[in-house]
Amino acid sequence: MQSSFSEVEAISWTGEQLKLLDQQVLPNQIRYVLCSTAEDVALAIQQMVVRGAPAIGISAAYGVVLAATIGQTLNTLMTSLDMLSAARPTAVNLRWAIARMKALIDVHVTSSKEQQVTASLKEKLIAEAIAIHQEDITANKTMGQYGKQVILATLSGSHKIRVMTHCNTGALATGGYGTALGVIRALAEADELQQVWVNETRPWLQGARLTAWELSQEKIPFVLGVDSAAAYHMATNKIDWVIVGADRITANGDTANKIGTYSLAILARHHGCKFMVVAPSSTVDMELATGNEIEIECRGNHELVMLGEKNVAPENTVVSNPVFDVTPASLIDMIVTERGVIENPSLAKMQQLFC
Ligand SMILES: CSC[C@H]1O[C@H](OP(=O)(O)O)[C@H](O)[C@@H]1O
């Protein structure tokens, strides 16, 4: 029996453990994974028990707390930070969160000259992880309003907004509320949303399983479609905006996101649909000049050839399973962050907000 969405939290800190809603089995099963160590958290991120760029950053921050054992040497603690940082390669939020926790450790060492974890440091790490979590929710609600305002400003007035979204960028992928799905929530809350076209998002089905679940729980009108029907829906004039999340945005505005996003951007440009990327500043990586430098994660063959328990491909089929792609800034009409909105992103415009 599905629980109501409002009754579940994707990420919660119990004070001793990190409790994660297992997104591998949603929506048909509500199952939690309890993490007691940094290794548990790293495995949960790798297995996609928890997924979504902001959500894995937040989880890694709590993983640092679990790694910090009072009396432990800081050198040993740093090994755990490196392990967490390497759990998945594409979403920069993971490294951003770890760097923020490490900065706190460095300040503590400089001020206290301590070389091991103390009770005081542990308390500061817990507070920092909780702050990272809460800040993400606040950022999402801010971006929801920014994105809604931008879209309504372009409204022709003839109909309510029709959007297409890809993957899952909601409360399950973040600290809460969502990024692209946060904008969709804000439009729905303002009664300005006609319908959401949800791409199933093969092969892991974040759209069909997770976004459909979030929207159905909140009675937001949506239609589920196969990824390859996106062009058809745009060609038959059903889409005003394509709104997606991000895993890494480089200095020039190039954006890595779930595989299929790049083709959606090309289709949107061809069909005159607007294309919006919504992501907190923890997803921006100003150290990378362009999207060509982003490491694209490739995952196991089983994710592509297995339908349930059944292998649908011939034995020994060669598989390619990159799970992200890069959309050039030239195809992005709007990047929405909690620091502000960038229209027609460029290096100069990104530097104004992030340098
Ligand atoms: C706000 S979630 C950002 C991003 O993360 C997802 O990837 P995954 O499900 O593999 O973690 C997807 O690319 C979302 O757009």
Side-chain angles (χ1 to χ4, degrees):
M1 177 65 183
Q2 283 184 358
S3 303
S4 154
F5 183 70
S6 56
E7 295 163 13
V8 292
E9 276 188 301
I11 305 171
S12 49
W13 174 247
T14 69
E16 299 291 330
Q17 292 174 307
L18 180 63
K19 183 180 172 187
L20 298 173
L21 177 60
D22 187 348
Q23 301 189 37
Q24 300 174 101
V25 297
L26 285 175
N28 298 310
Q29 196 180 338
I30 301 291
R31 184 172 78 188
Y32 290 94
V33 170
L34 285 175
C35 299
S36 303
T37 65
E39 288 75 10
D40 291 345
V41 176
L43 184 61
I45 291 170
Q46 285 163 353
Q47 292 179 332
M48 297 174 69
V49 167
V50 60
R51 35 66 48 200
I56 64 179
I58 294 162
S59 299
Y62 286 118
V64 174
V65 174
L66 291 170
T69 309
I70 293 171
Q72 170 195 31
T73 65
L74 292 177
N75 283 344
T76 317
L77 179 58
M78 287 304 147
T79 308
S80 296
L81 271 68
D82 292 342
M83 174 204 53
L84 286 161
S85 196
R88 286 182 79 188
T90 305
V92 71
N93 310 63
L94 197 46
R95 273 157 292 292
W96 171 85
I98 295 296
R100 184 150 153 191
M101 299 296 277
K102 184 179 181 304
L104 187 140
I105 295 167
D106 291 346
V107 165
H108 176 82
V109 168
T110 307
S111 59
S112 68
K113 308 294 180 232
E114 301 272 2
Q115 287 305 319
Q116 73 277 338
V117 176
T118 61
S120 157
L121 175 57
K122 177 99 179 189
E123 280 171 27
K124 288 174 187 168
L125 289 169
I126 292 171
E128 189 74 350
I130 292 170
I132 287 171
H133 191 169
Q134 291 305 316
E135 286 167 20
D136 185 66
I137 299 171
T138 303
N140 292 337
K141 292 185 175 174
T142 300
M143 293 188 293
Q145 293 306 310
Y146 285 174
K148 177 193 76 174
Q149 288 156 14
V150 163
I151 288 172
L152 294 183
T154 62
L155 197 63
S156 61
S158 57
H159 58 260
K160 289 184 180 178
I161 293 294
R162 304 161 301 176
V163 304
M164 174 175 281
T165 195
H166 195 65
C167 198
N168 172 258
T169 59
L172 292 171
T174 64
Y177 198 73
T179 57
L181 215 56
V183 172
I184 289 168
R185 282 191 160 100
L187 286 167
E189 288 157 10
D191 193 22
E192 295 286 358
L193 185 72
Q194 176 174 318
Q195 183 165 279
V196 187
W197 290 89
V198 174
N199 294 337
E200 60 176 346
T201 317
R202 286 268 306 150
W204 214 74
L205 301 179
Q206 289 92 330
R209 295 189 300 111
L210 307 179
T211 298
W213 187 58
E214 289 201 40
L215 295 178
S216 59
Q217 296 297 327
E218 297 182 25
K219 298 182 175 35
I220 294 174
F222 73 95
V223 176
L224 177 63
V226 293
D227 299 328
S228 46
Y232 170 79
H233 294 311
M234 291 183 202
T236 48
N237 196 24
K238 301 176 194 148
I239 312 290
D240 303 302
W241 282 82
V242 177
I243 312 177
V244 298
D247 291 80
R248 194 182 297 233
I249 303 173
T250 56
N252 68 341
D254 290 351
T255 296
N257 195 54
K258 184 53 48 196
I259 191 77
T261 303
Y262 174 33
S263 48
L264 283 179
I266 293 169
L267 291 172
R269 186 55 57 89
H270 178 76
H271 290 287
C273 307
K274 290 282 190 183
F275 193 85
M276 176 183 282
V277 170
V278 186
S281 49
S282 53
T283 309
V284 174
D285 183 354
M286 292 303 282
E287 290 179 15
L288 294 189
T290 71
N292 296 332
E293 300 166 69
I294 300 172
E295 183 180 347
I296 298 297
E297 180 185 6
C298 289
R299 293 183 67 89
N301 298 358
H302 65 284
E303 291 187 358
L304 201 152
V305 298
M306 299 300 289
L307 280 187
E309 299 302 313
K310 198 165 180 302
N311 187 328
V312 294
E315 207 171 335
N316 303 324
T317 294
V318 177
V319 171
S320 168
N321 185 23
V323 294
F324 297 103
D325 57 24
V326 176
T327 299
S330 59
L331 290 176
I332 300 171
D333 295 297
M334 213 67 76
I335 293 180
V336 175
T337 78
E338 79 281 15
R339 295 189 190 181
V341 177
I342 299 175
E343 190 170 3
N344 302 322
S346 66
L347 174 61
K349 292 180 181 177
M350 291 289 288
Q351 286 173 329
Q352 281 174 355
L353 267 192
F354 298 103
C355 289

